[in-house]
Amino acid sequence: MTNYKTGLVLEGGGMRGLYTIGVLDYFMDHGIKVDYVIGVSAGACNGASYVSGQKGRSYRINTQYLKDKRYISLRNYIKTKSLFGMDFLFDTIPNRLDPYDYTGLFASECQFIVGVTDVYTGKPVYFTKSDMDHHAAVLRASSSIPVFSPIVNYQGGLYLDGGTSDPIPVRKAIEDGCERVIVVLTRHWGYMKPKSMHRLLYRSVFRKYPQMVRLLEQRHEIYNYTLAYLDALKKQGKALVIAPSEPIEISRFETNIKKLDALYAMGQMDAAAYFKNYREPSHAL
């Protein structure tokens, strides 16, 4: 057991998160544990099942209900202003269909942090295990994609997708005392986020929230600056990166099960290759 405080940082990306699920299921199969997990959006949802020790749960949720209109559909968007069925995902599934193990979450010695975006300030806000409840409001907020999901009101604050303001929350992990981080990306290493082409849409939808508009117009800069920071950590030996071994071509709304299965398999394969090649003694987490 290493004496390092080791953190696991999970990027979001909607259905691209099947890659992360493959990585995390590999971790659970091989007893790879960390001291701290932080995630945003789909990364937070997948990280929750990892911390509670529920191998296979995230895979089931993201594949078993693909044909269920309550999961993802235009009908959802017409009825609730969200393509993903947020009530279905964050109430029906975790409380009835595929129960989330809250007991396992709180019993785990691993810290668990979920990042969200404050709509008023355009800044990231972070919640801990103590904020988790059976309504999964924190995970719901972190997964609420701007424009494609409604704003979430939680404890008096208004929140959206954590990946908007802090797409790869590695700085927060370092600030929280992690001496080394394992970062799981859902884009291949070398990817650079392009400037958004939807500025007029953002200004219309979020006209009441100017700081949110500013954030959405600058999110590509935040993402690319974060990658530069992560690259510096890699060179210092403080960050280990597991990223897709080839570019991912699917969108965050993908419903093709064959593509999703292939992405899951890539995650397992890349995790296995990484730990096969990494031989520093302290990697035994």
Side-chain angles (χ1 to χ4, degrees), residues 33-231:
K33 298 181 179 181
V34 296
D35 307 296
Y36 172 105
V37 174
I38 184 168
V40 292
S41 195
C45 296
N46 298 330
S49 291
Y50 170 74
V51 175
S52 64
Q54 293 177 275
K55 178 185 178 295
R57 181 177 181 274
S58 289
Y59 175 81
R60 291 193 303 273
I61 290 171
N62 283 275
T63 58
Q64 185 172 331
Y65 301 104
L66 284 177
K67 302 301 181 182
D68 191 321
K69 294 186 183 301
R70 294 174 297 174
Y71 182 83
I72 183 171
S73 65
L74 286 175
R75 187 189 72 170
N76 284 334
Y77 190 77
I78 293 170
K79 292 177 64 176
T80 68
K81 301 302 180 184
S82 175
L83 281 174
F84 288 104
M86 304 304 268
D87 289 339
F88 184 65
L89 282 171
F90 297 104
D91 184 5
T92 304
I93 290 178
N95 292 323
R96 286 187 281 161
L97 299 180
D98 201 328
Y100 182 69
D101 185 1
Y102 286 94
T103 300
L105 171 73
F106 291 113
S108 172
E109 295 180 357
C110 181
Q111 289 181 259
F112 181 50
I113 310 295
V114 177
V116 301
T117 297
D118 187 312
V119 173
Y120 288 117
T121 66
K123 301 292 185 181
V125 175
Y126 306 95
F127 292 102
T128 66
K129 281 184 188 180
S130 63
D131 300 294
M132 294 283 286
D133 56 37
H134 287 70
H135 299 292
V138 170
L139 292 177
R140 179 174 183 152
S142 188
S143 304
S144 293
I145 304 168
V147 178
F148 294 101
S149 299
I151 294 170
V152 174
N153 187 323
Y154 178 67
Q155 295 184 346
L158 298 181
Y159 303 110
L160 282 171
D161 182 3
T164 307
S165 57
D166 194 3
I168 309 166
V170 63
R171 286 187 179 86
K172 174 62 175 172
I174 298 297
E175 290 171 2
D176 284 348
C178 293
E179 298 161 279
R180 183 182 60 180
V181 290
I182 301 171
V183 182
V184 182
L185 303 179
T186 56
R187 294 285 195 181
H188 64 282
W189 186 250
Y191 169 82
M192 296 292 285
K193 193 173 189 65
K195 187 175 183 179
S196 174
M197 304 298 290
H198 305 296
R199 301 177 71 178
L200 292 179
L201 176 62
Y202 296 148
R203 292 176 184 180
S204 174
V205 173
F206 297 107
R207 57 188 178 278
K208 295 181 180 179
Y209 309 104
Q211 294 305 313
M212 192 67 197
V213 173
R214 176 196 58 79
L215 170 64
L216 289 166
E217 292 179 348
Q218 296 177 352
R219 65 187 303 186
H220 65 291
E221 297 176 0
I222 295 170
Y223 188 92
N224 295 334
Y225 286 154
T226 302
L227 287 178
Y229 175 72
L230 179 55
D231 188 46

Side-chain angles (χ1 to χ4, degrees), residues 19 22-23 26-27 242 266-276:
Y19 178 83
V23 172
Y26 178 90
F27 278 23
I242 300 177
M266 185 193 297
Q268 291 202 311
M269 178 187 69
D270 289 350
Y274 180 84
F275 282 99
K276 178 180 179 181

Side-chain angles (χ1 to χ4, degrees), residues 254-278:
E254 184 62 65
T255 59
N256 185 310
I257 186 63
K258 290 184 178 180
K259 292 182 179 180
L260 296 175
D261 276 342
L263 192 54
Y264 174 82
M266 185 193 297
Q268 291 202 311
M269 178 187 69
D270 289 350
Y274 180 84
F275 282 99
K276 178 180 179 181
N277 295 327
Y278 186 67

